[in-house]
Amino acid sequence: MTKKTGGPSTYDVAKLAGVSQMTVSRVMSGKGYASENVVARVQEAAGKLGYVPNRIAGALAGKKAALVGVILPAVSNVVFAEVLQGLNEGLAESGLKPVFGVSGYDQQEEERLVRDMLSWQVSGLVLTGLEHTAATRAMLASHSTAVAEVIDVDGEPIAACFGLSHAKAATDMAQHLLTKGYRRFGYVGCNLERDLRAGKRRKAFVETVVAGGGEFVGEACDDAPSSMLHGRVLTDRLMAAAERPEAIYFSNDDMAAGGLMYCLANGLRVPDDIALASFNGLEFLEALPLQITTSRSPRRKIGLLAGHYLALRNDGKDALDKVELSAELISGQTS
Amino acid sequence: MTKKTGGPSTYDVAKLAGVSQMTVSRVMSGKGYASENVVARVQEAAGKLGYVPNRIAGALAGKKAALVGVILPAVSNVVFAEVLQGLNEGLAESGLKPVFGVSGYDQQEEERLVRDMLSWQVSGLVLTGLEHTAATRAMLASHSTAVAEVIDVDGEPIAACFGLSHAKAATDMAQHLLTKGYRRFGYVGCNLERDLRAGKRRKAFVETVVAGGGEFVGEACDDAPSSMLHGRVLTDRLMAAAERPEAIYFSNDDMAAGGLMYCLANGLRVPDDIALASFNGLEFLEALPLQITTSRSPRRKIGLLAGHYLALRNDGKDALDKVELSAELISGQTS
DNA sequence: GTGAAAGCGCTAACAG
DNA sequence: CTGTTAGCGCTTTCAC
């Protein structure tokens, strides 16, 4: 049972090394000059005591913490996990550590989390998408924390923004299907109320097919989180309607995989009876019997860019603050 | 350009509310008594100023931060993403925030990360697996931080431990295959050097089939991270050998899915020509044309338990510190 | 119930 | 190059 926080402090190391506390601080942080002799003595003392600097104290004194807040809608979703991985890589060199929270696609919860992150004096913040509550925007405006919004670029960013145009990805896909000769389209999606990016894709898709001389014959949607099972059930529902589409656009790969299962189970020939297309280009698609036509989103890259941006901003440097990446259309066997 | 850290402090709120700084602290933290009148005035002042408490200062004064360090081998891997999700849920009520790092299955890197987390004065730590460097163990022994080791229980935990016996999961699977009548076994795996759990499963599997009268005829392994593509390639390699197995155990679902693809592409009948079995029971398996026999690991539950444990320990309460969950064997269509 | 004083462990700013 | 002096914004501890 130690009385103090736990470990030894700069004070203890200083005593042992026969220097002042300040010198220990300088040696440990590598900032400012110190003679070789002193550096060696301090390091030895630190090693002997098992000294671990207290960054909480450092952050308080230095007025900012080497933490970045990361707020994602979900983690179990591979998409966000991959963004997180990229972010982590982008941050690796900088010494910044991600602290993080899951909003569950809820802007109120996001607001709460932003407040929380701000209370940790994070030097940077990563938010998903461009839509936030007024209070969130207000907080961010009054605090000088660097903010990077990721994944979406269709809207007004607070400051920096790294992602792709979901509208464009959907438009491209619509065009692709029109070019292939499909004219009667359907849509199957989940979680549209909350997943704003999926909503933007749906809207752009419908507009493009209609503008391109196609017909939008129906859709099956649901508020539940997306999954293969839901994709299968909703595809069933859509196909049971009077007017069957020739091609279905899904809110994402999970849903499309479910749709494909429905088709296989019901003896529908893909793409002759029904064409399928989706969004994300996740790795698991490779395991399916048919390669689904989809748009690959640069998830890791998005995280990486955001990480680099926050790392540079943390060093007081300027950085590229808006990068629009593009989704690569993968023309598979289902269209 | 504000001079101070950024936001208003308890001092500013106190002035506006006409009370002392200490009273503001009490009202904000909800600890200690305060008259209704005072509470109202303080809250109004705080609201008006957009006061956000500085938890860094709070942590320094209170000698511990409401942070838990989470160190995982990888995030892009769904398995860990799901553990993380559970952890997040388990921590939600407690006010503890996860700070996190990715070790890349490297114990040296884990050691570095542990030091880092400790420097943030985290009140708890989540580590993956039971194997750590001596230095990591030493640091943990001298700091009083609560530690929860997750995913694996086959070994000596530092303190608390939530996971499953990978040896048992593999033994069960071996038994299952023996019962089904298979006698000649093979193994396909990736990343065994680093993923110690996969190594434990492999070892237990081989031992059990041999002990049960079966024969282990060969394996194909690789040090790369696991993926469907590798599963396919390595299965090809294994099947090209002189002695073909009747059943293959894979290091995980990704690899098995790749194996299944190999079989389908090469006209092998599953399970008649070759049976396949794996570990994890990830959701994407549902999308495959055949349901693969696997063991479902309780990933979310593991995270949840660890979160609850750390939350309780943070409140100074005692808590269940060792829970061995079991993997559910899912007998699919590939065995 | 509320306030005043002290200090958490570190770093910024200035001496020397 | 190294030491001294002040805090950072909060909580702990003790008065009142």
Side-chain angles (χ1 to χ4, degrees), chain B residues 193-278:
Chain B
E193 306 277 297
R194 322 186 83 195
D195 184 345
L196 273 14
R197 273 74 59 193
K200 290 177 182 181
R201 292 195 296 272
R202 178 191 160 285
K203 181 161 174 288
F205 182 83
V206 174
E207 287 173 2
T208 308
V209 295
V210 169
E215 198 184 341
F216 188 72
V217 302
E219 63 185 336
C221 298
D222 193 319
D223 278 350
S226 70
S227 69
M228 284 183 286
L229 184 57
H230 265 86
R232 183 171 181 156
V233 170
L234 292 176
T235 303
D236 188 356
R237 188 182 306 165
L238 182 65
M239 295 302 281
E243 273 209 294
R244 283 193 167 192
E246 297 163 357
I248 305 177
Y249 189 47
F250 290 83
S251 54
N252 64 35
D253 292 339
D254 293 313
M255 300 297 287
L260 177 59
M261 286 172 76
Y262 166 82
C263 294
L264 296 180
N266 290 274
L268 291 172
R269 288 167 307 151
V270 178
D272 296 333
D273 293 332
I274 181 81
L276 312 174
S278 68

Side-chain angles (χ1 to χ4, degrees), chain A residues 5 9-10 22 25 51 54 57 61:
Chain A
T5 305
S9 67
T10 43
M22 193 57 231
S25 170
Y51 170 71
N54 181 336

Side-chain angles (χ1 to χ4, degrees), chain A residues 173 176-177 182 235 239 246-250 255-264 270-271 274-278 290-294 330 332-335:
Chain A
M173 185 57 81
H176 168 82
L177 294 174
Y182 300 102
T235 303
M239 296 302 282
E246 298 162 357
I248 305 177
Y249 189 46
F250 291 84
M255 299 297 287
L260 177 58
M261 286 173 76
Y262 166 82
C263 294
L264 296 180
V270 179
I274 181 80
L276 312 174
S278 69
L290 249 48
Q291 169 76 45
I292 292 179
T293 294
T294 187
I330 299 171
Q333 304 167 307
T334 63
S335 68

